[in-house]
């Protein structure tokens, strides 16, 4: 398996949300904040402080750099917790669960930690800010295989630099890249021409 280019762990969540969003961010370098990303940044303040502490008998390391040579993956865990000889990653989300995107991101963090520390990590946790509850995520062979598949697909996406078609569904209304992506137009050259004539050149009907 090729490990170039190296994939950011965050790309896994972007890809799971929408492959086009992943390509816009990680191929084209487009970024835009909306209410959801701003809320996420605020919720991550403590995590991003890099402050380590002991909580209920566990060591909690925050903002831990992660990488995997074998997968060509790099990023950061919001937190890594250590209790006795067990270690696991923790991902913090400001809102509520949206599908399995956070689970896959968390599993990718565990794969990095397993390689870095030469340990087996059977589970991790995602903490959701809206219910203020952490969910235990088991790293089954299915989720591990899915992470491998997504990494390879993202790598292919980066190498070919081909922008996937827009999903043009309910995800778009919540998407931080809505106004860069123009999902209602992107799958139709005729609509793009009409849009440009009307909004840019002011000559549409
Ligand atoms: S606006 Fe829709 S199609 Fe475009 S990147 Fe966002 S979710 Fe994907």
């Amino acid at each position: 398996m090729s490990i170039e280019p190296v994939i950011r762990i965050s790309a896994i969540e972007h890809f799971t949300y929408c492959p086009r969003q992943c390509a816009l961010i990680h191929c084209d370098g487009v970024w835009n904040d909306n209410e959801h990303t701003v809320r996420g940044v605020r919720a991550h303040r403590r995590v991003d402080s890099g402050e380590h502490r002991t909580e209920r008998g566990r060591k909690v390391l925050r903002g831990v750099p992660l990488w995997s040579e074998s997968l060509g993956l790099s990023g950061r865990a919001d937190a890594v917790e250590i209790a006795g000889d067990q270690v696991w990653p923790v991902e913090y989300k400001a809102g509520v669960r949206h599908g399995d995107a956070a689970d896959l991101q968390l599993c990718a963090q565990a794969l990095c930690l397993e390689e870095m520390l030469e340990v087996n990590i059977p589970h991790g946790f995602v903490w959701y800010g809206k219910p203020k509850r952490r969910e235990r995520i088991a790293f089954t062979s299915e989720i591990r295989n899915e992470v491998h598949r997504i990494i390879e697909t993202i790598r292919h996406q980066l190498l070919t630099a081909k922008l996937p078609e827009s999903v043009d569904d309910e995800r778009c209304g919540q998407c931080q890249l809505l106004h860069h992506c123009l999902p209602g137009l992107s799958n139709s050259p005729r609509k793009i021409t009409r849009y440009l004539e009307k909004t840019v050149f002011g000559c549409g009907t």
Side-chain angles (χ1 to χ4, degrees):
M1 178 172 67
S2 165
I3 58 158
E4 294 285 342
V6 171
I7 308 295
R8 300 288 302 166
I9 292 174
S10 60
I12 292 171
E13 187 177 23
H14 297 140
F15 182 89
T16 308
Y17 186 78
C18 168
R20 185 175 170 91
Q21 188 197 67
C22 180
L24 285 167
I25 294 173
H26 297 275
C27 292
D28 295 356
V30 176
W31 185 262
N32 185 53
D33 279 314
N34 67 4
E35 61 176 289
H36 303 295
T37 59
V38 169
R39 205 179 299 137
V41 169
R42 288 171 66 98
H44 274 79
R45 269 193 196 143
R46 193 160 74 132
V47 175
D48 290 340
S49 72
E51 171 198 340
H52 308 320
R53 57 169 61 193
T54 300
E55 288 174 6
R56 297 189 201 100
R58 311 186 289 257
K59 279 192 189 134
V60 182
L61 312 178
R62 298 189 194 282
V64 178
L66 300 174
W67 65 91
S68 161
E69 302 259 347
S70 68
L71 294 173
L73 200 60
S74 78
R76 207 170 62 138
D78 288 341
V80 171
E81 296 185 350
I82 303 165
D85 59 357
Q86 291 201 308
V87 56
W88 56 80
V90 182
E91 175 69 15
Y92 289 81
K93 297 294 177 200
V96 296
R97 168 179 272 279
H98 291 292
D100 56 2
D103 305 355
L104 293 159
Q105 188 181 0
L106 186 76
C107 182
Q109 295 169 8
L111 294 175
C112 290
L113 277 171
E114 286 184 337
E115 187 174 320
M116 290 163 65
L117 305 176
E118 298 183 4
V119 293
N120 178 44
I121 303 179
H123 66 264
F125 295 92
V126 181
W127 188 90
Y128 289 102
K130 276 287 166 62
K132 291 196 185 305
R133 202 178 54 221
R134 56 157 64 188
E135 274 188 33
R136 186 181 191 273
I137 308 299
F139 301 134
T140 61
S141 54
E142 287 78 15
I143 191 170
R144 288 168 184 265
N145 290 340
E146 181 63 1
V147 171
H148 281 96
R149 188 192 67 76
I150 291 173
I151 291 168
E152 278 312 291
T153 309
I154 294 172
R155 184 163 288 124
H156 180 73
Q157 193 179 64
L158 291 176
L159 288 170
T160 56
K162 192 168 179 292
L163 195 61
E165 290 196 349
S166 63
V167 294
D168 201 8
D169 62 19
E170 69 282 353
R171 281 171 279 181
C172 300
Q174 307 291 316
C175 176
Q176 66 194 90
L177 299 185
L178 176 63
H179 301 298
H180 293 276
C181 170
L182 301 176
L185 303 173
S186 57
N187 297 338
S188 162
R190 250 193 33 233
K191 281 189 193 167
I192 293 173
T193 307
R194 219 178 303 137
Y195 173 81
L196 289 174
E197 285 173 350
K198 197 169 162 191
T199 61
V200 180
F201 302 113
C203 58
T205 53

